[in-house]
Coordinates of all heavy atoms in Angstrom, one line a residue:
Chain A
M1 N 0.9 -1.2 0.0 CA 0.0 0.0 0.0 C 0.9 1.2 0.0 O 2.1 1.2 0.3 CB -0.9 0.0 1.2 CG -2.1 -0.9 1.1 SD -3.1 -0.7 -0.4 CE -4.1 0.7 0.1
T2 N 0.3 2.3 -0.3 CA 1.0 3.6 -0.3 C 1.3 4.1 1.1 O 0.6 3.7 2.0 CB 0.2 4.7 -1.0 OG1 -1.0 4.9 -0.2 CG2 -0.3 4.2 -2.4
D3 N 2.2 5.0 1.2 CA 2.6 5.5 2.5 C 1.4 6.4 3.1 O 1.4 6.6 4.3 CB 3.8 6.4 2.4 CG 5.1 5.5 2.3 OD1 5.0 4.4 2.7 OD2 6.1 6.0 1.8
G23 N -3.7 -17.5 6.8 CA -5.0 -18.2 6.9 C -6.0 -17.5 7.8 O -7.1 -17.9 8.0
E25 N -8.2 -13.8 8.8 CA -8.9 -12.8 8.0 C -8.0 -11.6 7.7 O -8.4 -10.7 6.9 CB -10.1 -12.3 8.7 CG -11.1 -13.5 8.8 CD -12.3 -13.0 9.6 OE1 -12.2 -12.6 10.7 OE2 -13.4 -13.1 9.0
L26 N -6.8 -11.4 8.3 CA -6.1 -10.2 8.1 C -5.2 -10.3 6.9 O -4.2 -11.1 6.9 CB -5.2 -10.0 9.4 CG -6.0 -9.7 10.7 CD1 -5.1 -9.6 11.9 CD2 -6.9 -8.5 10.5
L32 N -3.9 -1.6 6.2 CA -3.5 -0.2 6.1 C -4.7 0.7 5.7 O -4.6 1.9 5.8 CB -2.4 0.0 5.1 CG -1.1 -0.8 5.5 CD1 -0.1 -0.7 4.4 CD2 -0.6 -0.4 6.8
E33 N -5.8 0.1 5.3 CA -7.0 0.9 5.0 C -7.8 1.1 6.3 O -8.6 0.3 6.7 CB -7.8 0.2 4.0 CG -7.1 0.1 2.6 CD -8.0 -0.7 1.6 OE1 -9.1 -1.2 2.0 OE2 -7.5 -0.9 0.5
H36 N -12.3 2.8 7.6 CA -13.5 2.1 8.0 C -13.4 1.6 9.5 O -14.4 1.4 10.1 CB -13.9 0.9 7.1 CG -12.7 0.0 6.8 ND1 -12.1 0.0 5.6 CD2 -12.2 -1.0 7.5 CE1 -11.1 -0.9 5.6 NE2 -11.2 -1.5 6.8
P44 N -20.0 4.8 20.5 CA -20.0 3.7 21.5 C -20.9 2.5 21.2 O -20.6 1.4 21.5 CB -20.4 4.4 22.8 CG -20.9 5.8 22.4 CD -20.3 6.1 21.1
S52 N -19.4 -7.5 20.1 CA -20.2 -8.6 20.1 C -19.8 -9.6 19.0 O -20.2 -10.8 19.1 CB -21.7 -8.2 19.9 OG -22.0 -7.9 18.6
T57 N -21.7 -16.6 19.0 CA -23.1 -16.5 18.9 C -23.5 -15.3 18.1 O -22.9 -14.2 18.3 CB -23.8 -16.4 20.2 OG1 -23.3 -17.4 21.1 CG2 -25.3 -16.4 20.1
T62 N -32.5 -7.4 18.5 CA -33.2 -7.2 19.7 C -32.4 -7.5 21.0 O -32.4 -6.8 21.9 CB -34.5 -8.0 19.7 OG1 -35.3 -7.7 18.5 CG2 -35.4 -7.7 20.9
D74 N -27.1 1.3 33.0 CA -26.5 0.7 34.2 C -27.5 -0.1 35.0 O -27.6 0.1 36.2 CB -25.8 1.8 35.0 CG -24.7 1.2 35.9 OD1 -24.2 0.1 35.6 OD2 -24.4 1.9 36.9
T81 N -36.6 -1.9 30.1 CA -38.0 -1.8 29.7 C -38.0 -2.0 28.2 O -37.1 -1.8 27.5 CB -38.6 -0.5 30.1 OG1 -37.9 0.6 29.3 CG2 -38.4 -0.2 31.6
V88 N -33.1 1.9 21.6 CA -31.8 1.5 21.1 C -32.0 0.7 19.8 O -31.2 0.9 18.8 CB -31.1 0.6 22.1 CG1 -29.8 0.0 21.6 CG2 -30.8 1.3 23.4
V90 N -34.1 0.9 17.4 CA -34.4 1.6 16.1 C -33.1 2.4 15.7 O -32.8 2.5 14.5 CB -35.6 2.6 16.2 CG1 -36.9 1.9 16.5 CG2 -35.3 3.7 17.3
H94 N -31.7 1.6 12.1 CA -31.7 2.7 11.1 C -30.4 3.4 10.9 O -30.3 4.2 10.0 CB -32.8 3.6 11.5 CG -34.2 3.2 11.0 ND1 -34.7 3.3 9.8 CD2 -35.2 2.6 11.7 CE1 -35.9 2.9 9.7 NE2 -36.3 2.4 10.9
A95 N -29.5 3.2 11.8 CA -28.3 4.0 11.8 C -27.0 3.2 11.9 O -26.2 3.2 10.9 CB -28.3 5.1 12.9
P98 N -26.6 -0.2 9.4 CA -26.3 0.2 8.0 C -24.9 0.8 7.8 O -24.3 0.6 6.8 CB -27.4 1.2 7.6 CG -28.4 1.2 8.7 CD -27.9 0.4 9.8
N102 N -22.1 -0.7 5.4 CA -21.5 0.1 4.4 C -20.0 0.0 4.5 O -19.3 0.1 3.5 CB -22.0 1.5 4.4 CG -23.3 1.7 3.7 OD1 -23.9 0.7 3.3 ND2 -23.7 2.9 3.6
E103 N -19.5 0.0 5.7 CA -18.0 -0.1 5.9 C -17.5 -1.5 5.7 O -16.3 -1.7 5.8 CB -17.7 0.4 7.3 CG -18.0 1.9 7.6 CD -17.2 2.9 6.8 OE1 -16.1 2.5 6.4 OE2 -17.7 4.0 6.5
F108 N -25.5 -8.2 7.6 CA -26.7 -8.2 8.4 C -27.7 -9.1 7.7 O -28.0 -9.0 6.5 CB -27.3 -6.8 8.4 CG -28.6 -6.7 9.2 CD1 -28.6 -7.0 10.5 CD2 -29.8 -6.2 8.5 CE1 -29.8 -6.9 11.2 CE2 -30.9 -6.1 9.3 CZ -31.0 -6.4 10.6
E140 N -16.3 -5.1 26.8 CA -16.0 -6.4 26.3 C -16.7 -7.5 27.1 O -17.3 -8.5 26.6 CB -14.5 -6.6 26.1 CG -14.2 -7.9 25.5 CD -12.7 -8.1 25.3 OE1 -11.9 -7.1 25.6 OE2 -12.3 -9.1 24.8
S141 N -16.5 -7.4 28.4 CA -17.0 -8.5 29.3 C -18.5 -8.4 29.3 O -19.2 -9.4 29.4 CB -16.5 -8.3 30.7 OG -16.8 -7.0 31.2
S145 N -21.1 -11.5 28.1 CA -21.8 -12.1 29.2 C -23.0 -12.9 28.6 O -23.5 -12.7 27.6 CB -22.3 -11.1 30.2 OG -23.3 -10.3 29.6

Side-chain angles (χ1 to χ4, degrees):
Chain A
M1 282 308 277
T2 66
D3 285 338
E25 295 176 300
L26 297 177
L32 301 177
E33 294 175 2
H36 48 258
S52 77
T57 310
T62 305
D74 201 20
T81 66
V88 176
V90 298
H94 280 279
N102 277 6
E103 297 292 333
F108 181 60
E140 183 174 0
S141 60
S145 69

